[in-house]
Amino acid sequence: CENEKAKYEFYSLYEIQGGEQSFLNTYTEQYGQDWVSQRIEEYQTIEKNEIYPHITVMERILQEAESVQSYEEYREQIQEQYQTNQKISIFQSQDDYNTRSAEKTSKIYEELQLNGEMKLQQTLGLEQVLKFSFRDIAGVLFLLYCVGLGILQEKKRGMLSFLQVTYKGRKKLYSRKIAGIIVCAAVWEIASFLVCFLIGQMQFGWMDFSYAVQSVEMLMQSPYGISIGIFIAGYLVIRVFVYAGLGILLAAFGFVSGSFISVSALGAVLVGVGAGLYEQISDISQFSFFKRCNVWQLMRAEDFLGDYTYIRIGNEPISINWSIGILLAVLIGAYFIGKFFFAKDRKKVKKSRSKARKK
């Protein structure tokens, strides 16, 4: 790869500097006269518009290869850095957040056992999918559409009020509406991921799912001994859970407000404010709780499985996985609040109908 990269770098510079002697001497000293002569001959035959893409590809391959080859050295550096910090007075306080987080991180990597071997993979397709934030925005819009169509439109037309006084409307309507939103969220997440993932794999090459997840450069810091395949499965489970949770929250608010504008505003605030907090607050800030416990962070499922990320509570580093528990508590609360208002509406309908019968 290094030789291939050097070739295309030579072509790009030769295109600019031509036969300038100082330029040719530099490559002659490094690679020899025969190598330079051969490159000049090849330059006459290659497609000029392929030079820079080739350089980019070679740089990417070399970067990934270096990550794989230096992984054990990376783990050793974490241990060495922690031991070095322990000898420095400002890091010796056990009440310091940096000291505690470094201690936890050091212990995690010391005990980590990889699942499968490390090997250079065509991982760019997977990384592109993980970074594709437009899929999140489209997913929120899809959930708003489902809530508007399945709940708010029926409520506006009076169909929901009519169904509420039927036997199945009294017993199962609310739960089935929520279940429908959850199914829509799950279908969207899985289908959109698979489409983007397959496009990425066909464009950049197929990867072997049995190798350690640390083979993916973007996920090299993962504190878990899992394979690439298990990472993808776990990523989808977390994402489905988060989208289902957001769907429940929007649906419950829809039962409470009955307004599509209000539900849309809630979705925009949750995503927009969450994205702002995620980007602007530092990981070591006292306000990192707000950076990590919001919808936008929860949508970044790769942070849960591909990095050692903490939430700062005072001077105590808490695993980011606790934010999923917080989401679960919020969802349970949202579910029952929505159910309360649904039952309240049903009682109003029954009361008005009983009055109408008396008259």
Side-chain angles (χ1 to χ4, degrees):
C1 287
E2 290 183 1
N3 188 48
E4 192 73 12
K5 179 188 173 186
K7 285 167 55 176
Y8 280 91
E9 285 180 342
F10 177 88
Y11 300 149
S12 65
L13 293 172
Y14 188 78
E15 185 176 19
I16 299 171
Q17 302 187 30
E20 187 177 324
Q21 197 59 44
S22 59
F23 157 68
L24 296 176
N25 288 343
T26 301
Y27 276 89
T28 300
E29 290 173 5
Q30 188 171 359
Y31 297 102
Q33 183 62 49
D34 292 341
W35 188 91
V36 172
S37 300
Q38 188 176 356
R39 298 292 80 79
I40 293 174
E41 291 178 9
E42 290 175 352
Y43 176 79
Q44 310 302 326
T45 60
I46 65 171
E47 291 288 339
K48 303 303 183 288
N49 60 351
E50 293 182 0
I51 293 176
Y52 292 103
H54 270 78
I55 293 174
T56 303
V57 170
M58 292 303 110
E59 286 178 345
R60 171 72 190 189
I61 293 173
L62 287 171
Q63 186 178 339
E64 291 184 356
E66 183 179 355
S67 297
V68 171
Q69 292 170 358
S70 63
Y71 179 71
E72 289 303 325
E73 182 182 343
Y74 165 74
R75 290 177 61 176
E76 290 172 5
Q77 285 177 350
I78 292 176
Q79 305 302 323
E80 291 173 3
Q81 185 64 49
Y82 173 67
Q83 296 300 328
T84 302
N85 288 349
Q86 290 298 98
K87 299 175 184 178
I88 303 174
S89 59
I90 60 173
F91 290 107
Q92 289 178 356
S93 172
Q94 293 303 312
D95 293 330
D96 180 68
Y97 171 78
N98 293 325
T99 301
R100 292 187 175 187
S101 60
E103 182 180 2
K104 283 191 173 185
T105 301
S106 174
K107 187 176 180 181
I108 287 171
Y109 280 102
E110 186 178 9
E111 297 175 352
L112 175 62
Q113 298 291 329
L114 298 185
N115 184 342
E117 62 179 301
M118 296 273 292
K119 189 173 181 180
L120 183 63
Q121 294 283 301
Q122 295 95 332
T123 60
L124 189 57
L126 175 61
E127 291 187 19
Q128 295 283 19
V129 177
L130 299 181
K131 294 177 181 178
F132 189 41
S133 298
F134 177 76
R135 194 163 64 90
D136 298 320
I137 298 172
V140 174
L141 294 175
F142 177 70
L143 286 178
L144 289 173
Y145 171 77
C146 292
V147 172
L149 186 66
I151 296 173
L152 299 176
Q153 193 176 63
E154 290 186 2
K155 190 167 186 176
K156 184 177 180 180
R157 293 179 177 179
M159 294 173 62
L160 199 59
S161 299
F162 173 76
L163 293 171
Q164 282 175 318
V165 296
T166 64
Y167 177 76
K168 289 190 176 181
R170 291 196 302 271
K171 298 292 184 181
K172 300 177 180 179
L173 181 61
Y174 178 78
S175 298
R176 288 184 175 178
K177 287 289 184 184
I178 294 295
I181 297 296
I182 292 174
V183 170
C184 289
V187 169
W188 162 263
E189 171 54 30
I190 294 172
S192 64
F193 175 84
L194 288 177
V195 169
C196 294
F197 181 75
L198 290 174
I199 292 173
Q201 294 298 290
M202 288 187 289
Q203 183 176 359
F204 298 106
W206 294 89
M207 50 196 298
D208 190 329
F209 300 150
S210 64
Y211 289 107
V213 70
Q214 288 80 5
S215 300
V216 181
E217 186 191 12
M218 179 182 174
L219 307 172
M220 190 180 76
Q221 294 179 311
S222 174
Y224 300 106
I226 57 177
S227 65
I228 297 173
I230 294 175
F231 166 83
I232 292 174
Y235 170 88
L236 282 174
V237 169
I238 294 173
R239 293 269 301 185
V240 166
F241 177 70
V242 171
Y243 266 98
L246 181 59
I248 292 173
L249 195 60
L250 294 175
F253 191 69
F255 279 113
V256 174
S257 70
S259 167
F260 183 74
I261 295 176
S262 299
V263 175
S264 299
L266 176 64
V269 168
L270 288 174
V271 175
V273 172
L277 294 173
Y278 180 83
E279 294 295 335
Q280 297 300 320
I281 298 179
S282 167
D283 288 336
I284 62 174
S285 169
Q286 292 284 0
F287 301 101
S288 68
F289 175 85
F290 300 102
K291 174 187 177 77
R292 297 303 178 187
C293 295
N294 65 71
V295 170
W296 190 257
Q297 167 63 87
L298 291 168
M299 288 179 174
R300 315 267 69 76
E302 63 274 14
D303 288 351
F304 292 89
L305 299 174
D307 202 350
Y308 55 92
T309 306
Y310 300 118
I311 302 171
R312 182 173 183 175
I313 307 294
N315 283 328
E316 187 65 33
I318 307 297
S319 172
I320 192 178
N321 295 339
W322 281 98
S323 61
I324 297 180
I326 295 172
L327 172 64
L328 181 61
V330 171
L331 294 185
I332 292 173
Y335 176 84
F336 284 106
I337 289 172
K339 191 170 186 178
F340 170 78
F341 279 90
F342 176 81
K344 193 175 180 181
D345 287 344
R346 178 167 57 82
K347 288 177 182 177
K348 286 182 181 179
V349 173
K350 288 179 69 177
K351 191 174 181 180
S352 62
R353 290 199 173 189
S354 62
K355 285 182 179 180
R357 287 173 183 172
K358 289 177 181 179
K359 290 179 180 179

